[in-house]
Amino acid sequence: MDKWEQIKQYQQTGAYVFMALPNQKHNAVRGGYNNSFNNGDELNQWVNAHPEYQDGNVGIDLSKSNLIVVDIDKHKHNGMKSIGAWFKAHDINPETIQETYVERTASGGLHAFYLIPEGKTKPAEKVSVLQGVDILTNKHGVIVAPSVIDQQSYRAITPFETIQEAPEWVYQLANYHGSTNTPKTKSTSRYSNVDRWLMVKNGFETGQRNDQAMSLSGYLFALNIEPQSIYDILQITNERSNEPLLDDELGRVYMSARKREERKRMRINSYGRD
């Protein structure tokens, strides 16, 4: 789908679309993101009068649109961890996020879009309602697919047709007044990063070989190291151990860690990482 077809799709939901400068998030004409239209002809007329925006990025003016965006940051803060903890505390299935239209932003975060249900008003805007999580309602213009910032694209993670009316938990979150930090009772890793690199240097310790191999594997996968390289590092580490694991056992640990990472990415990365 080309840019103008995607804009038409947004406008058909009642969204007011504005154009941003190429590789930028802002509209530099007086009025900024309020230079927005939910009619394709009117937007085209505006672009014809401002040709420098012809190849620009696309945004939605939330102040005019019947939309709310749950903005989950993954650049400065781990918003997925924060909202995951909030979901757990409120007995809400975390998979609910991917039931609506979700985009991955250029900086790796998530924008989950919701329509305001008929008869309901928008909740108040709430920045940092949780650490790394904002509720955007009426003071923002948000950049949307198919925009590009520094060669990184905004892209749809779920089909646009899946956009849902805002469920009750969105309003509950918008009115949340608790701590913006994740719970202090969160578990900590048994091994530090220094411990893991000492494993690579000295090998796995007898009695902890499987646990250490799993910990090292998970750490390397989290660094997005190429899988074959991870396995090579495990083999080198194993060879340096006083009592190396059998090749079959090392392979089982590696595959277990890999599958665990794949499941994690299906839950999170499949619908994006701001």
Side-chain angles (χ1 to χ4, degrees):
M1 183 185 302
D2 70 20
K3 177 167 71 176
W4 300 103
E5 281 297 314
Q6 200 151 353
I7 287 173
K8 181 179 179 181
Q9 194 174 48
Y10 294 138
Q11 291 176 326
Q12 286 174 340
T13 68
Y16 281 74
V17 174
F18 70 92
M19 302 302 296
L21 289 166
N23 198 45
Q24 301 293 328
K25 294 184 179 182
H26 67 279
N27 180 302
V29 177
R30 184 176 182 180
Y33 65 81
N34 292 139
N35 292 304
S36 58
F37 308 89
N38 69 347
N39 177 284
D41 291 338
E42 292 177 352
L43 180 60
N44 282 330
Q45 289 174 12
W46 189 93
V47 170
N48 288 335
H50 303 85
E52 65 272 29
Y53 289 84
Q54 179 68 41
D55 297 319
N57 285 332
V58 180
I60 291 178
D61 175 1
L62 293 179
S63 71
K64 297 180 185 177
S65 304
N66 192 39
L67 291 169
I68 181 172
V69 173
V70 179
D71 180 5
I72 304 173
D73 183 25
K74 290 188 180 179
H75 179 55
K76 296 180 180 178
H77 303 287
N78 191 336
M80 279 306 302
K81 191 170 187 178
S82 298
I83 200 168
W86 188 87
F87 280 148
K88 184 176 181 179
H90 292 79
D91 198 26
I92 297 169
N93 184 351
E95 302 300 322
T96 185
I97 281 286
Q98 57 187 318
E99 293 173 356
T100 192
Y101 177 59
V102 180
E103 288 188 355
R104 180 177 179 175
T105 70
S107 55
L110 299 179
H111 282 167
F113 292 78
Y114 294 96
L115 297 165
I116 302 302
E118 185 176 354
K120 283 208 170 189
T121 58
K122 282 188 182 184
E125 181 133 330
K126 196 73 174 288
V127 175
S128 296
V129 63
L130 302 171
Q131 190 173 61
V133 180
D134 302 329
I135 301 292
L136 308 180
T137 62
N138 53 21
K139 297 179 181 179
H140 281 82
V142 294
I143 298 301
V144 294
S147 302
V148 177
I149 303 288
D150 295 333
Q151 300 182 324
Q152 299 298 316
S153 299
Y154 286 72
R155 63 181 180 86
I157 301 301
T158 57
F160 184 79
E161 293 77 11
T162 63
I163 191 168
Q164 302 285 313
E165 290 187 342
E168 192 57 39
W169 71 259
V170 173
Y171 285 84
Q172 189 178 357
L173 179 59
N175 293 318
Y176 182 64
H177 297 292
S179 170
T180 58
N181 296 316
T182 52
K184 293 181 180 178
T185 56
K186 64 182 180 182
S187 61
T188 57
S189 175
R190 179 177 177 182
Y191 302 102
S192 70
N193 292 344
V194 172
D195 290 335
R196 295 182 180 110
W197 288 115
L198 286 174
M199 294 174 199
V200 176
K201 178 183 177 183
N202 302 319
F204 301 125
E205 296 178 30
T206 301
Q208 299 184 48
R209 295 174 301 173
N210 287 63
D211 288 346
Q212 289 186 345
M214 178 64 78
S215 178
L216 179 60
S217 300
Y219 171 67
L220 295 174
F221 275 116
L223 293 178
N224 288 320
I225 294 174
E226 196 271 329
Q228 183 58 54
S229 296
I230 292 174
Y231 190 68
D232 291 342
I233 293 170
L234 288 178
Q235 286 185 310
I236 292 169
T237 305
N238 193 46
E239 289 168 1
R240 292 173 176 170
S241 304
N242 290 331
E243 296 182 37
L245 290 165
L246 296 175
D247 288 343
D248 287 348
E249 182 65 17
L250 185 67
R252 282 194 291 271
V253 172
Y254 165 80
M255 288 306 302
S256 177
R258 182 169 181 172
K259 288 178 181 178
R260 184 171 66 179
E261 180 67 13
E262 287 172 351
R263 288 193 297 269
K264 177 182 176 182
R265 293 186 183 190
M266 284 179 65
R267 292 195 306 269
I268 299 177
N269 292 355
S270 63
Y271 50 93
R273 291 196 166 191
D274 210 60

